[in-house]
Amino acid sequence: MVDSFVGTWKMSSSENFDDYMKALGVGFATRQMGNMAKPSLIISVDDKGIIIMKSQSTFKTTEVKFKLNEEFDETTADDRKTKTIITVENGKLVQKQTWDGKNTSIERSVEDGKLIARCMMNDIVAVRTYVKEA
C-alpha cells in the first residue's frame, strides 16, 4: 500500500512554500532557511510495519515513525508540536497535523515516477516535487 512511496527522493522543485510557511506562522529567519533547503525525503517500512519518513537537508533532519491511521505526537521541522495522523486515501499518503486550534494537511502522491507533496493550509497550497534517486 505504501510500497510506491518507499525510497529516497530528492527535491527538484518547490512552489509557493514561503506562503505556506507564513500561513503556518513560521518566522522570517526559519522561512529563509526553509526556502533554501532542498531536502531529500527517505521513506522506509520496518519489519513491524512501522513507516519511517525522514526529511534530510543541510539545515535540519527530521524523522517521524508511525503506523497508518494511528495518531501520534510530532515535532515539525519548524518546531510546532502537533497531533498528527497519516492515512492512505485514493493512493495518496495524507498527513493531517493539528496544533493550537489550527490544522494543515500534506498529501503525497506518486505521479509519473515523481513524488508530489501538496502542502495545504486554509486556501494556501504549496507544491513540492521530488524525483527518485537510483
Side-chain angles (χ1 to χ4, degrees):
M1 96 207 120
V2 296
D3 292 347
S4 60
F5 293 94
V6 170
T8 299
W9 303 84
K10 182 74 184 149
M11 180 181 288
S12 60
S13 70
S14 178
E15 299 161 32
N16 212 28
F17 195 57
D18 191 60
D19 286 341
Y20 174 70
M21 288 189 290
K22 273 186 202 163
L24 293 176
V26 176
F28 179 76
T30 305
R31 287 201 326 270
Q32 294 302 101
M33 288 191 295
N35 283 320
M36 288 191 309
K38 294 273 185 253
S40 289
L41 187 62
I42 302 148
I43 300 175
S44 57
V45 182
D46 75 9
D47 54 7
K48 294 184 181 74
I50 293 173
I51 301 165
I52 300 110
M53 202 161 40
K54 184 188 263 190
S55 177
Q56 215 169 340
S57 76
T58 50
F59 295 115
K60 191 157 207 171
T61 295
T62 58
E63 181 177 276
V64 291
K65 295 182 179 185
F66 61 92
K67 285 190 165 176
L68 290 173
N69 309 314
E70 288 184 18
E71 188 177 74
F72 61 96
D73 293 316
E74 178 182 6
T75 300
T76 64
D78 57 343
D79 279 331
R80 284 173 294 124
K81 309 275 188 264
T82 67
K83 291 283 185 193
T84 300
I85 188 163
I86 300 178
T87 57
V88 173
E89 297 172 27
N90 302 321
K92 296 177 181 175
L93 269 183
V94 179
Q95 178 175 2
K96 293 188 167 111
Q97 300 171 329
T98 55
W99 76 102
D100 298 342
K102 301 176 192 167
N103 57 68
T104 184
S105 63
I106 303 166
E107 286 184 0
R108 294 177 178 90
S109 56
V110 176
E111 302 169 22
D112 299 325
K114 294 182 172 133
L115 190 150
I116 311 293
R118 289 178 181 83
C119 310
M120 295 166 284
M121 173 91 182
N122 303 325
D123 58 348
I124 307 285
V125 180
V127 178
R128 290 162 74 83
T129 303
Y130 297 80
V131 292
K132 199 164 199 175
E133 292 189 342

